[in-house]
Amino acid sequence: MVSAVNLSGVWSIYRSEMQRTQRTILQSVATPVITTALYFVVFGGAIGSRMQQVDGVGYGSFIVPGLIMLSLLTQSISNASMGIYFPKFTGTIYELLSAPVTAMEMVVGYVGAAATKSIVLGLIILATSAFFVPLHIEHPFAMLAFLVLTSLAFSLFGFIIGIWANGFEQLAFVPALLITPLTFLGGSFYSITMLPKPWQTISLFNPVVYLISGFRWSFFGKGDVSIGVSLGVTLLFLVACLGVVAWIFKTGWRLKN
């Protein structure tokens, strides 16, 4: 017999994480939006004036999916990793582990809150972009699907990082020295078809290329790789993160010692 899901426990974790965002609204929302506006001023103004179009799309519009994905990846990781790390840091993780909440319910609460914040932020950035460039989304449902799947996948990844980290330096290490460079090199501000042949091939080993390409396809119907491959890589990463999280709770790695 399958036990009932503790919805009140999930909701308590979810609500607590969402309230934490309300207390840091300037850092959580305003800063990424201002940063995005600066990207448009710098890249759209300086580079866009010299490179009018990419694959038939105005350069200012072309970089919108990349900008959203850049914020989405970093914020998903940051929100989820901080959410689970702080109970470890304060020692309240043991109370959470002994509470009548299953591992699945704990993950749903923390990851769900982190993904929600990232999705809302992505939509805010999308709305902000409309003030700078004309936007047309050819496949809105595909755009929302990639937005949700990417937020969930990288929130799970952030959850893993939060459990792995032994200090605030390690929390900042992965987003700053791994995710952000991979996003910049993954075609956020250019198409990898613009690169010389050897570098095009090397870029295909960057998993972020597939995320950005699929997300850009939902806007313009064009991407650096096929939409099927982009969706497959996104789902594969999501499943891999779920597998790692399941292993962590099964073994208690860095949770119970």
Side-chain angles (χ1 to χ4, degrees):
M1 182 176 179
V2 179
S3 61
V5 177
N6 185 354
L7 294 178
S8 61
V10 174
W11 173 246
S12 295
I13 296 172
Y14 181 89
R15 183 179 60 184
S16 175
E17 285 300 294
M18 295 303 292
Q19 288 175 341
R20 183 167 61 86
T21 300
Q22 294 175 8
R23 294 192 295 269
T24 59
I25 192 70
L26 184 64
Q27 176 185 355
S28 301
V29 177
T31 300
V33 170
I34 293 172
T35 302
T36 300
L38 291 175
Y39 275 124
F40 273 111
V41 172
V42 175
F43 286 90
I47 300 177
S49 61
R50 293 169 173 78
M51 185 165 51
Q52 298 295 326
Q53 291 189 338
V54 179
D55 293 335
V57 179
Y59 185 73
S61 300
F62 179 83
I63 66 175
V64 170
L67 285 174
I68 295 175
M69 195 59 68
L70 175 62
S71 296
L72 203 68
L73 301 189
T74 54
Q75 290 299 313
S76 295
I77 292 174
S78 176
N79 288 326
S81 61
M82 182 59 71
I84 190 61
Y85 174 77
F86 207 73
K88 285 179 55 184
F89 178 74
T90 58
T92 56
I93 187 69
Y94 302 108
E95 298 176 7
L96 190 60
L97 290 172
S98 61
V101 180
T102 66
M104 182 195 71
E105 292 163 352
M106 189 189 306
V107 172
V108 169
Y110 279 112
V111 172
T116 300
K117 289 183 277 187
S118 299
I119 292 169
V120 171
L121 179 61
L123 294 175
I124 290 174
I125 293 174
L126 179 62
T128 303
S129 303
F131 289 100
F132 294 91
V133 294
L135 285 178
H136 173 70
I137 304 174
E138 287 195 14
H139 307 282
F141 292 109
M143 186 274 288
L144 289 173
F146 268 101
L147 199 66
V148 172
L149 287 174
T150 304
S151 297
L152 286 173
F154 277 82
S155 293
L156 281 167
F157 187 49
F159 189 85
I160 295 168
I161 293 171
I163 293 175
W164 162 77
N166 284 325
F168 289 100
E169 297 82 4
Q170 290 183 335
L171 279 181
F173 172 80
V174 174
L177 298 182
L178 181 62
I179 300 302
T180 300
L182 286 178
T183 307
F184 273 94
L185 296 173
S188 295
F189 304 107
Y190 59 88
S191 169
I192 65 171
T193 59
M194 301 167 65
L195 300 172
K197 281 292 182 182
W199 289 106
Q200 289 185 35
T201 303
I202 292 172
S203 295
L204 294 176
F205 289 94
N206 180 354
V208 178
V209 166
Y210 301 91
L211 304 178
I212 295 175
S213 176
F215 196 53
R216 184 169 283 137
W217 177 89
S218 70
F219 279 77
F220 312 119
K222 301 175 182 178
D224 292 327
V225 296
S226 71
I227 182 62
V229 173
S230 296
L231 182 60
V233 170
T234 306
L235 290 173
L236 181 63
F237 184 70
L238 176 62
V239 171
C241 288
L242 281 172
V244 173
V245 170
W247 173 82
I248 287 173
F249 280 99
K250 182 179 180 180
T251 61
W253 180 72
R254 296 216 174 180
L255 283 175
K256 298 179 180 179
N257 51 41

